[in-house]
Amino acid sequence: MAGVTTEMMPSPELQESLRTLSLRMVDGTADRVSADGGDELTPLDVDSTGRAAATLIAHVRPRGVTVLHFTGLLRDRHGWRTEPMGSLLLSAGERPAGESCNVHGGSERLISSGVMPWSGFYLCCWYLETGPDLRQLRVAGRMRPIPDHGQVIVCWRARQRITEWGPGLAVQSGPGPAPEVVAVTSAGKRLPVAIGARSERQGRR
């Protein structure tokens, strides 16, 4: 896990609301919903690669406190299943200006194949804030729009990279390289955006 996520564990009721809203977001039918205690859950962004997806949901709590929740989704023959990816207390800072892109960090979760410890893969997501002049992202060759509010989630599946062998069949591992990400401005200019463990923040003005 890198950068943005914290160990704010939602209640079981909130987890179920996040799961349900994430599934609706992937299907394109999501709207703002009420949570326990009068809180609101607002869908901000969803990214899908076909077999994997991730959602970004804002949880507006009492006294205006906002928490961002990240949920990963994986498609199998039974449909989508969800994987909680972490949460972030939203800062009160201003949105990046112009062509800037703040890369806050991300989260990854090892998905076991159920066969050998080294035969799984990583579900990864990364959180970005973009300036108003950035309109699209190219992620590993696929194009996706940037929401008007500039809050963006990017997801991908990464091969498991073995970093250390332990006793027996135990291994230490991490995700392989992140995909290439390029931001496209309203004028068509293309700007590289560095995501992954090697970069916590990237900006262009």
Side-chain angles (χ1 to χ4, degrees):
M1 184 178 294
V4 307
T5 53
T6 64
E7 297 301 320
M8 292 183 286
M9 288 298 297
S11 66
E13 294 80 9
L14 178 56
Q15 289 185 44
E16 179 60 23
S17 295
L18 292 169
R19 187 189 75 84
T20 300
L21 184 54
S22 294
L23 291 171
R24 291 171 55 195
M25 291 172 71
V26 171
D27 289 338
T29 60
D31 201 353
R32 181 177 302 178
V33 299
S34 296
D36 289 346
D39 298 356
E40 285 191 341
L41 298 177
T42 301
L44 294 179
D45 192 34
V46 58
D47 187 29
S48 176
T49 68
R51 292 190 300 160
T55 63
L56 176 63
I57 297 172
H59 177 198
V60 182
R61 305 177 68 178
R63 299 180 182 175
V65 176
T66 300
V67 179
L68 299 179
H69 294 284
F70 308 88
T71 301
L73 300 96
L74 292 166
R75 183 188 289 277
D76 57 26
R77 64 180 182 276
H78 303 297
W80 291 100
R81 66 183 177 95
T82 60
E83 296 281 346
M85 301 292 284
S87 305
L88 168 70
L89 185 64
L90 185 64
S91 67
E94 294 183 359
R95 179 180 179 180
E99 298 173 358
S100 296
C101 179
N102 290 343
V103 182
H104 290 283
S107 179
E108 64 269 346
R109 182 176 295 275
L110 178 61
I111 307 299
S112 173
S113 68
V115 183
M116 294 294 185
W118 55 84
S119 61
F121 65 90
Y122 277 85
L123 175 62
C124 306
C125 68
W126 220 258
Y127 168 54
L128 297 77
E129 281 185 295
T130 63
D133 291 345
L134 298 180
R135 298 298 175 85
Q136 289 183 303
L137 287 179
R138 188 184 70 192
V139 183
R142 59 186 174 88
M143 298 297 294
R144 52 149 308 183
I146 293 175
D148 291 341
H149 50 65
Q151 308 285 323
V152 181
I153 192 83
V154 175
C155 83
W156 69 96
R157 286 170 50 130
R159 291 187 177 183
Q160 186 178 4
R161 181 187 61 199
I162 306 304
T163 58
E164 182 180 342
W165 292 92
L169 295 178
V171 298
Q172 295 291 323
S173 70
E180 180 185 48
V181 177
V182 176
V184 183
T185 71
S186 55
K189 184 165 61 172
R190 296 172 181 263
L191 305 173
V193 179
I195 65 173
R198 294 186 298 275
S199 175
E200 291 296 326
R201 295 176 68 87
Q202 169 78 13
R204 290 285 299 271
R205 291 186 184 274

